[in-house]
Amino acid sequence: MLLIVAAVALALAIVYSIARSIASYQRLAHIPGPRWAAWTDFWLVRNQLSGKLNFKLHDINSRYGDLARIGPNWVVCGDPGEIRRIWAARSSYKRAYWYRGLRMDPYRDSTFSTLDDAVHNELRTKMLPGYGGKDVDGLHEAIDAQVAAFVKLLEDKYLAGNPAKSHLPYRTVDIARKVQFFTLDVISKLAFGDAFGCLAADADMFDYIKTTEHTLPIFVTVALLPWMIDLLQSPYMRPLVPNVRNMVGFGTVMGLAQQAVDGRYSEKPVVKRDMLGSFVKHGLSRDEAEGEAMVQIVAGSDTTATAIRATLLYIITNPQVYARLQREIDEGVRAGRISSPISDAEARRFPYLQAVIREGMRMWPPATGLLPKFSATDDIICGVRVPAGTSVAWAPWTVMHNKAVFGEDSYQFRPERWLDAPPEQLRVMEQTAMLGFAGGSRYECLGKNVAMIELNKIFVELLRRFDIVLVDPTQPWNSTNAAIFIQSDMNVRITRREEVVEA
Ligand code: HEM
């Protein structure tokens, strides 16, 4: 008897799950996409784990059109105008459950992971003055110090000789790694008050990079599976799930965040005019400040490192661009328009430099998470009805290579497009490229100002001093996509320039 009941229960469960799958299939059956993606999230999981999801989404949009189905409840949109509308500050779209998977602490939200608009707005309001540098002293100087440390590291350990003349040996350096030391030191200095010291030690301090490279692909994959998020974040699972706080790397940095924050909330609180000080002043609680300090490190290091690496790669593999940028820098130094190091304000006055930075971020957008939003009501996207509750992801490569916006040669690295475009086209190009920072949305990157200061300085300080060539142009780097990029082995040879132009 018991066996019959069990068999009937199993049969009912199977029928129920088949009926559910068919219903879920039919909901979005009118939206084209890969066949398996319509039935199971494992299509997305497999492609996320491939490390090439950014390119795959672009293939999908190229094949099926600007709106395609990539999961039972997922679509991907590659139309820049539609993404701007969906993300817009006043849009009724909200963050989809994917963001819950981005909790660094499984039991607590941050700006990055909260699904609650009111909480999100409140956190942003408290942090905007600090991120904007409004009540922060020495923001630019802190970045300058890390730029100097970066240059010193290269000069002390990695300068190669000109093969024809110099006594220096043949040397190469994996610049991808050193760039991340730089961005980590900048952001840790700003977030915690003390730089990790990666540049000084020429090492991945606390194994932070190593750990994130292992854990981030898992994080972003789990984020695709709502049931898995619930399971791993359930308080009942606490004894079974590894606690990030105890992990080498992540845990150590969380410990540092805690230490930095403790001092500000102790009985005799340390009061400083730095970013953390600004967050405290504007009412962030101790727990929030700790979580947000950690967010700064994760959100601000890999992304900016990728922007620097990719732009540098495009510069050194495009001789005309390289020559023109170096000429602009040299002329600026000669004319006394560039201090040492260049200031942010000065850098903004160099049109070709600005064009190169924009073009680099466009060609290789550093933040490529799905960033899904959903609408509580049915909507029409790219002329197609999208039922309420569907997760709408963006396809960064499709958006950033749109020919109507950027021109027929949108697959080429051509900074000149930013100088030649008529004003109306330039406006649309700017708005589209700034989607890389979620620009114009209520989720706009809080660290954009900091990232831009770093970008404005780093290329000038490298190219005014050094010549940089790829060791093996057939294998420029190893690059894996996991919402951000994990990049290494960008091996270059750095030589001192024959004639360093002095002011
Ligand atoms: C080139 C470098 C960077 C790029 C491309 C970038 C990109 C982005 C994007 C696309 C988002 C929106 C994510 C979403 O939909 O919720 C975002 C959010 C955020 N970014 Fe950045 N980011 C960069 C650098 C930084 C830096 C240096 C920091 C820290 C100083 C930072 C801190 C944040 C924070 C706190 C958020 C959450 C904002 C919110 O939820 O309201 N980012 N970033």
Side-chain angles (χ1 to χ4, degrees):
M1 182 63 186
L2 206 64
L3 218 64
I4 295 175
V5 172
V8 170
L10 185 68
L12 283 176
I14 292 172
V15 169
Y16 173 73
S17 110
I18 292 174
R20 250 180 70 129
S21 294
I22 293 174
S24 134
Y25 167 78
Q26 279 175 336
R27 240 181 98 245
L28 304 181
H30 58 289
I31 304 178
R35 191 176 335 143
W36 285 111
W39 292 98
T40 165
D41 279 327
F42 284 99
W43 183 91
L44 255 182
V45 166
R46 187 169 59 99
N47 281 291
Q48 180 75 73
L49 288 173
S50 75
K52 295 185 181 127
L53 184 59
N54 56 320
F55 298 127
K56 185 72 189 178
L57 294 179
H58 185 41
D59 289 349
I60 295 292
N61 279 141
S62 310
R63 192 162 158 201
Y64 297 99
D66 273 343
L67 189 82
R69 185 181 197 178
I70 51 167
N73 191 39
W74 284 86
V75 293
V76 62
C77 175
D79 182 88
E82 291 288 44
I83 291 297
R84 282 217 316 273
R85 175 179 70 82
I86 290 167
W87 291 3
R90 286 180 215 289
S91 149
S92 59
Y93 273 81
K94 291 177 182 305
R95 280 178 165 172
Y97 206 60
W98 179 86
Y99 283 90
R100 171 62 57 82
L102 302 191
R103 276 184 176 179
M104 265 157 259
D105 179 334
Y107 311 109
R108 201 171 59 190
D109 270 319
S110 65
T111 27
F112 223 74
S113 65
T114 182
L115 304 178
D116 184 326
D117 274 346
V119 172
H120 183 246
N121 282 344
E122 203 185 317
L123 281 171
R124 273 186 80 93
T125 311
K126 289 175 185 170
M127 291 192 296
L128 267 168
Y131 270 107
K134 201 168 148 255
D135 28 39
V136 176
D137 290 338
L139 176 79
H140 292 256
E141 291 76 3
I143 298 176
D144 286 348
Q146 303 315 321
V147 172
F150 187 29
V151 169
K152 180 170 170 7
L153 173 67
L154 297 180
E155 287 196 327
D156 286 356
K157 284 181 71 175
Y158 295 107
L159 271 196
N162 175 331
K165 315 187 184 152
S166 163
H167 63 283
L168 283 169
Y170 179 81
R171 271 199 199 113
T172 66
V173 54
D174 175 5
I175 195 90
R177 214 11 66 104
K178 310 304 170 195
V179 164
Q180 196 166 3
F181 291 174
F182 164 68
T183 57
L184 263 175
D185 276 356
V186 167
I187 204 65
S188 49
K189 172 74 188 165
L190 297 180
F192 299 168
D194 281 315
F196 286 174
C198 302
L199 289 167
D202 192 15
D204 171 16
M205 298 299 284
F206 323 116
D207 279 345
Y208 174 82
I209 300 176
K210 191 170 144 206
T211 328
T212 44
E213 287 183 350
H214 286 129
T215 46
L216 278 177
I218 301 171
F219 258 88
V220 289
T221 307
V222 168
L224 298 170
L225 304 169
W227 58 270
M228 184 80 111
I229 300 174
D230 289 342
L231 186 73
L232 293 179
Q233 294 181 359
S234 155
Y236 302 110
M237 292 296 287
R238 229 176 245 236
L240 300 177
V241 176
N243 187 339
V244 274
R245 286 179 179 270
N246 301 331
M247 281 182 193
V248 183
F250 243 53
T252 322
V253 173
M254 276 187 166
L256 292 175
Q258 197 173 0
Q259 262 176 35
V261 170
D262 276 352
R264 312 298 174 100
Y265 291 88
S266 61
E267 278 191 2
K268 285 191 190 142
V270 179
V271 179
K272 280 193 195 171
R273 280 182 57 83
D274 58 7
M275 277 172 101
L276 193 50
S278 167
F279 297 167
V280 176
K281 182 172 141 194
H282 292 279
L284 223 58
S285 73
R286 187 191 198 123
D287 267 3
E288 287 167 346
E290 208 182 298
E292 296 300 334
M294 195 61 205
V295 166
Q296 283 176 288
I297 305 290
V298 178
S301 58
D302 300 276
T303 46
T304 318
T306 293
I308 296 174
R309 292 168 186 144
T311 309
L312 189 63
L313 183 58
Y314 282 115
I315 295 171
I316 64 178
T317 50
N318 281 277
Q320 286 92 345
V321 173
Y322 196 162
R324 185 167 174 184
L325 180 59
Q326 219 160 33
R327 205 167 47 242
E328 188 182 72
I329 295 169
D330 288 356
E331 284 169 9
V333 174
R334 271 196 217 99
R337 291 166 58 219
I338 293 186
S339 322
S340 198
I342 189 166
S343 74
D344 184 53
E346 287 166 348
R348 286 168 201 240
R349 291 195 280 269
F350 286 84
Y352 200 65
L353 171 68
Q354 294 307 315
V356 166
I357 293 173
R358 268 168 192 62
E359 188 71 346
M361 296 266 308
R362 177 188 81 78
M363 286 293 284
W364 198 277
T368 52
L370 294 165
L371 310 182
K373 312 288 182 302
F374 76 95
S375 164
T377 53
D378 288 7
D379 191 18
I380 305 287
I381 305 178
C382 300
V384 179
R385 184 182 61 82
V386 176
T390 307
S391 292
V392 183
W394 78 314
W397 248 250
T398 317
V399 166
M400 296 299 180
H401 294 84
N402 184 295
K403 290 188 177 162
V405 175
F406 296 107
E408 279 304 308
D409 60 352
S410 64
Y411 288 88
Q412 267 186 46
F413 181 76
R414 196 174 67 81
E416 284 73 9
R417 78 180 75 250
W418 295 93
L419 307 175
D420 301 344
E424 178 50 24
Q425 190 192 353
L426 188 63
R427 194 179 61 82
V428 182
M429 283 166 60
E430 281 273 357
Q431 283 175 339
T432 306
M434 284 303 124
L435 287 174
F437 284 112
S441 81
R442 61 176 179 281
Y443 312 102
E444 180 166 28
C445 174
L446 282 164
K448 181 178 150 201
N449 180 39
V450 171
M452 288 311 291
I453 300 175
E454 291 178 70
L455 293 170
N456 276 338
K457 288 174 186 282
I458 200 71
F459 302 114
V460 173
E461 293 310 312
L462 291 178
L463 300 187
R464 74 195 285 182
R465 292 181 171 81
F466 308 126
D467 281 323
I468 305 176
V469 292
L470 264 181
V471 173
D472 182 356
T474 65
Q475 225 163 359
W477 60 11
N478 279 327
S479 177
T480 306
N481 182 248
I484 46 83
F485 285 93
I486 296 168
Q487 295 170 319
S488 65
D489 297 300
M490 184 174 155
N491 296 310
V492 296
R493 187 163 53 83
I494 300 183
T495 47
R496 194 183 294 287
R497 288 181 61 191
E498 295 272 299
E499 179 207 356
V500 177
V501 180
E502 301 293 352

